[in-house]
Amino acid sequence: MFMNGEILTDLNDLKRCFSIDELLYSYGNGELEIFLEKIGEHEKAEQIQEISENNALLLIRLYDILDLPYEDSEEKIRRNFA
């Protein structure tokens, strides 16, 4: 999976290259779930699968599943995992 032009190989890569728009896009097209399965994060992939697409709290659920702080901007998340 790619995020911010980089190939992701684990959750730390995702957090280091974090982009809200790309996270939502990869969720929407199923790539996020496939990525999580591929890197052995089966429980997180299952949680992604259980999210209702019409859920108004989608971003909050994604942050929760990926253990990201709700209050952090995408820039701060990238800085914290650089």
Side-chain angles (χ1 to χ4, degrees), residues 1 8-9 32-42 45:
M1 185 169 118
L8 308 180
T9 59
L32 179 59
E33 182 184 343
I34 292 167
F35 167 71
L36 292 169
E37 284 287 351
K38 194 175 201 179
I39 64 168
E41 294 286 348
H42 306 294

Side-chain angles (χ1 to χ4, degrees), residues 30-78:
E31 187 178 18
L32 179 59
E33 182 184 343
I34 292 167
F35 167 71
L36 292 169
E37 284 287 351
K38 194 175 201 179
I39 64 168
E41 294 286 348
H42 306 294
E43 186 176 324
K44 290 185 185 316
E46 188 175 317
Q47 290 173 332
I48 295 290
Q49 188 178 41
E50 292 172 357
I51 297 174
S52 167
E53 278 193 51
N54 297 321
N55 187 341
L57 302 175
L58 170 61
L59 192 54
I60 290 173
R61 280 292 295 137
L62 290 172
Y63 270 56
D64 186 45
I65 291 167
L66 298 171
D67 301 318
L68 296 168
Y70 306 126
E71 65 279 359
D72 286 0
S73 67
E74 58 186 50
E75 292 83 12
K76 184 171 183 191
I77 291 169
R78 284 193 297 266

